[in-house]
Amino acid sequence: MAMTLRLSESQSAALRQRAELEGRSMQQVALDAIEEYLVRAADDATTDELAARGAHRFADLLRRLGE
């Protein structure tokens, strides 16, 4: 699937500069940033799910500790 990404002039210039410094294309830098974001978002969702399960499982203990 193709996607058009519209950047401001300053974003485009910064991305171009970063890509040149790293010896990569602007597309490679953007794709890596998107992949890192998706991995981090998935990790956050997993952490939230585990925290909710723990809070439910140990609700009585947590309540008693708060007293």
Side-chain angles (χ1 to χ4, degrees):
M1 174 185 279
M3 181 181 107
T4 300
L5 180 63
R6 289 178 174 76
L7 302 173
S8 69
E9 290 293 325
S10 63
Q11 290 170 325
S12 184
L15 181 59
R16 184 176 292 107
Q17 182 179 24
R18 175 53 52 190
E20 288 174 5
L21 286 171
E22 295 179 8
R24 302 189 303 154
S25 69
M26 292 173 61
Q27 181 174 341
Q28 288 172 317
V29 173
L31 288 174
D32 284 350
I34 291 167
E35 184 61 29
E36 287 178 26
Y37 167 79
L38 293 173
V39 167
R40 189 172 58 248
D43 286 347
D44 289 350
T46 300
T47 300
D48 290 346
E49 181 183 335
L50 291 172
R53 276 198 239 157
H56 178 72
R57 180 177 176 191
F58 299 109
D60 187 52
L61 175 62
L62 291 170
R63 182 188 51 75
R64 286 185 280 150
L65 288 171
E67 292 176 353

